[in-house]
Amino acid sequence: MAVDYAALKAGGFMRQKQKDTFSLRLKVVGGTVTADQLAAVQDVANKYGHGYVHLTARQGIEIPFIQLKDIDAVKADLAKGGVVPGVCGPRVRTVTACQGGRCCPSGCIDALDIAEKLDKRYFGRELNHKFKFGVTGCRNNCLKTEENDFGVKGGYDVKWKEDACIGCGVCVKACREGAITQDEDGKIHVDYAKCNNCGRCVKSCPADAWDYTPGFIVTFGGTFGNNMRFGEEAVPFIKDEDTLFRVADATIDFFAENGLPSERFFKTLERVGWDKFKVVVNDAYNGKTKKKGDETDG
């Protein structure tokens, strides 16, 4: 019987150089795996592999040296432990994330929660080439979001509350952008044009003198491989999840409609034009939608 290697690859089984041998990539969302899942992975690696796993650069787990004859048994044993194979090839890959505000004092958003929602919405979708999401909780950028096709970085939209300020100057020292200054009379001055939404002023203030709205800084078109390129911002600071997902939907649809086979997203943007893409995602940002064949904003 002929082996459908393309289907196996789509299901996370990557061919090794050894005959009829595969390295199985598992689905790991936001770098988080339960203890029960780890136990199932351990059992499969011992029973069907060589007794070890490989941790990938994108927070994934791979079990090497799986034999072709054992593939169905491997999937069944993993399923008992709640473990799902990942994907390879031209489709949306597993979303990476740091722990964000769920655990980290620096986190401005719950990065894992956003990763899980992105994964549920897009994981495995067929596209012209692979497409990667990355989510990080703050400007410290542990997940290097600019290396992703669609990178999400947590931040705060801030507003100084003069009536609550005690003039301690802690926020001045915390701000790394020079956006906050203090005059000789002790009054705080904020240059919001210099603010990068890092939220350090909020987190350092002992007097709760800052109003803030958590949100997202999004970058587009990053890649890290044979052609390295940092993603770029194309929309303003996003203040709610509905807007984030509208922008993500528009991005995925733009790539699906304009990309060529085997063309990475940034190549599509360069060929079709960043200006055209920015119109599309800013329409999505502003809540404007267009149906195919309809030239009127909905």
Side-chain angles (χ1 to χ4, degrees):
M1 181 181 294
V3 178
D4 190 341
Y5 290 106
L8 287 172
K9 183 177 181 180
F13 288 89
M14 300 174 293
R15 294 175 70 178
Q16 293 185 194
K17 63 181 184 180
Q18 295 84 3
K19 181 177 174 59
D20 292 336
T21 306
F22 299 82
S23 185
L24 170 57
R25 178 172 295 169
L26 304 178
K27 181 181 179 181
V28 178
V29 182
T32 300
V33 184
T34 68
D36 288 342
Q37 289 173 323
L38 284 175
V41 171
Q42 178 188 18
D43 289 343
V44 167
N46 283 328
K47 185 175 180 180
Y48 301 103
H50 282 189
Y52 74 92
V53 300
H54 172 70
L55 303 181
T56 74
R58 286 186 59 81
Q59 301 182 321
I61 296 175
E62 292 176 3
I63 308 175
F65 292 98
I66 301 297
Q67 299 302 303
L68 177 63
K69 64 181 178 62
D70 293 327
I71 284 178
D72 288 340
V74 165
K75 290 194 287 188
D77 283 6
L78 288 172
K80 294 175 185 176
V83 181
V84 179
V87 298
C88 302
R91 48 194 56 88
V92 177
R93 304 294 183 83
T94 303
V95 183
T96 59
C98 68
Q99 296 191 81
R102 184 174 298 192
C103 301
C104 178
S106 298
C108 297
I109 60 170
D110 186 337
L112 181 57
D113 178 65
I114 295 299
E116 290 171 342
K117 290 173 179 175
L118 289 168
D119 175 85
K120 183 177 180 180
R121 199 176 186 98
Y122 305 112
F123 175 72
R125 175 169 170 176
E126 301 285 334
L127 290 169
N128 316 293
H129 208 307
K130 59 187 172 184
F131 193 95
K132 298 177 179 179
F133 287 92
V135 186
T136 200
C138 69
R139 278 284 185 182
N140 288 337
N141 204 16
C142 295
L143 256 291
K144 304 177 179 65
T145 56
E146 288 84 359
E147 295 176 5
N148 293 270
D149 298 283
F150 190 99
V152 181
K153 190 181 299 164
Y156 286 163
D157 181 58
V158 301
K159 185 69 176 180
W160 176 59
K161 298 187 294 185
E162 183 174 5
D163 58 344
C165 182
I166 59 175
C168 66
V170 171
C171 61
V172 178
K173 297 177 181 178
C175 180
R176 299 178 180 178
E177 303 302 308
I180 307 173
T181 56
Q182 189 171 25
D183 61 26
E184 294 180 354
D185 295 326
K187 185 176 180 179
I188 295 295
H189 301 271
V190 185
D191 184 346
Y192 290 101
K194 292 182 178 180
C195 178
N196 72 347
N197 307 108
C198 71
R200 290 188 176 93
C201 52
V202 174
K203 293 178 180 295
S204 66
C205 181
D208 190 26
W210 295 87
D211 283 329
Y212 66 95
T213 302
F216 315 98
I217 303 151
V218 176
T219 54
F220 307 85
T223 183
F224 198 81
N226 291 322
N227 296 287
M228 292 184 287
R229 189 183 189 285
F230 275 173
E232 299 179 17
E233 295 181 32
V235 296
F237 184 81
I238 296 175
K239 298 182 183 180
D240 62 88
E241 290 186 16
D242 286 345
T243 302
L244 175 67
F245 294 126
R246 283 201 311 272
V247 170
D249 286 346
T251 302
I252 290 285
D253 290 344
F254 184 92
F255 187 35
E257 293 167 9
N258 293 281
L260 300 176
S262 300
E263 180 180 62
R264 287 300 298 270
F265 181 46
F266 83 95
K267 288 289 188 180
T268 300
L269 293 175
E270 291 177 348
R271 178 177 54 81
V272 177
W274 272 89
D275 289 343
K276 181 177 179 180
F277 173 69
K278 287 179 180 179
V279 170
V280 170
V281 288
N282 276 279
D283 279 351
Y285 176 92
N286 290 310
K288 300 178 182 178
T289 59
K290 286 185 179 181
K291 297 180 181 179
K292 291 183 180 180
D294 185 359
E295 297 302 320
T296 303
D297 287 342

